Amino acid sequence: MHEDTAHCDLFARDPGAFHDLRTQDTVRATAEALAERTGTAAPNIEFLEDRVRFFGAAGDVTLLGLVAEVRAITQRWHRKHHGAALWQGDDE
C-alpha cells in the first residue's frame, strides 16, 4: 500500500459472493452514488474472493463513513433479492 492511500474492507458472509456480477455492480454503483451525493471522491474498489476493498486518500475520514453506508444499503438490497445477508457480522 502506498503512503497516500488508505483502504477499508467489507467481508462477505459467503466466500465467492462476488462471482455474481450483479452484486459487484450494485456495490460499485452504490459507492459511486453516495460519493456523488455527498460531494466526496468515489473510492477505487477491488473485488476479492471474500471481501471488497475500498481505496481512498490517506487521512480521508469520509472513506469509513462511505463504506459503512455502502454496507447498510447493500445489505438491505441483498436480503431483499437473495433472502440472506451479504456481509459478515451484525447488521441494522
Side-chain angles (χ1 to χ4, degrees), residues 49-63:
E49 182 71 17
D50 64 341
R51 75 192 78 172
V52 178
R53 180 163 286 166
F54 298 83
F55 294 93
D60 182 1
V61 296
T62 62
L63 180 63

Side-chain angles (χ1 to χ4, degrees), residues 4 11 14 27 37-38 41 46 55-56 59 61 71 74 76 80 86:
D4 56 344
F11 289 86
D14 297 318
V27 171
R37 190 174 350 150
T38 59
E46 180 181 9
F55 294 93
V61 296
R71 182 186 189 283
T74 55
R76 286 190 297 270
K80 181 178 178 183
L86 175 59

